[in-house]
Amino acid sequence: MRHPASCFVTVEWWEEAPPDPMPTPSVCLWTGPAAGGGVLLARTGLAGTRRTAVLDEHLTVDADVCADAHGLDCADVLRGSRPRPPAEAVRWLAEIGPAGPGCRLAAVPLTGGGWVARGGTDPGVVALPCRVPPEQWLFASCLHAWLVSGLPLSGMLETHPRITYRQATP
């Protein structure tokens, strides 16, 4: 999946599996019974006026490639695209974010698998052992929607989410 430096993302809430064909690129986070058993569907772009299941729309910025300080300051979600060892990832999150006034989440993939994130009401970094590949950067947008729903990042550990995704079509 291509890593844009920044883009708008829409996250929809579905009680059941979203209809096929799924949009591309997209990531679905199946939340499990702890969060009501629904599906968060993240896709690039703004939803427009026809969708009724929109839970969240936000600006996500890849802090590893964005050199524009204004872009970093405007981000709702800061994400890293380069996987890091755990100690380096924790340092990166401490330095980068949530940094800007509107930023609610910062997340980065780990070299051995999983992600770490910081944001919401959790005071520190939360390690998420889920097997979401680093190139599935829309996962961070699902985490942001999780926070928008009023759930703590640490609650993600209890849900054992299942992830499905569609690559961008060439």
Side-chain angles (χ1 to χ4, degrees):
M1 185 180 291
R2 198 177 115 250
H3 300 276
S6 65
C7 73
F8 286 98
V9 174
T10 296
V11 182
E12 301 171 10
W13 171 257
W14 292 84
E15 297 290 330
E16 299 174 359
D20 279 330
M22 292 253 305
T24 60
S26 63
V27 169
C28 284
L29 186 145
W30 304 76
T31 65
V39 181
L40 295 170
L41 167 61
R43 65 173 84 193
T44 58
L46 296 175
T49 57
R50 295 187 185 181
R51 302 212 181 272
T52 58
V54 173
L55 173 65
D56 180 32
E57 291 183 320
H58 59 266
L59 174 65
T60 179
V61 174
D62 183 343
D64 285 338
V65 299
C66 181
D68 177 21
H70 180 68
L72 294 172
D73 286 344
C74 292
D76 301 298
V77 174
L78 287 173
R79 57 185 162 75
S81 56
R82 186 176 58 81
R84 293 164 166 79
E88 182 184 334
V90 169
R91 278 192 307 276
W92 185 84
L93 286 170
E95 292 171 6
I96 195 71
C103 186
R104 187 160 187 194
L105 176 85
V108 65
L110 296 172
T111 52
W115 287 65
V116 291
R118 181 175 161 213
T121 58
D122 290 304
V125 172
V126 176
L128 303 166
C130 54
R131 296 290 175 207
V132 179
E135 63 272 12
Q136 300 307 320
W137 57 272
L138 284 168
F139 175 65
S141 290
C142 288
L143 296 177
H144 185 267
W146 182 269
L147 293 174
V148 167
S149 296
L151 300 167
L153 280 177
S154 55
M156 184 70 66
L157 299 172
E158 300 165 11
T159 66
H160 305 288
R162 183 169 59 96
I163 307 294
T164 58
Y165 50 86
R166 299 255 330 236
Q167 302 285 13
T169 52

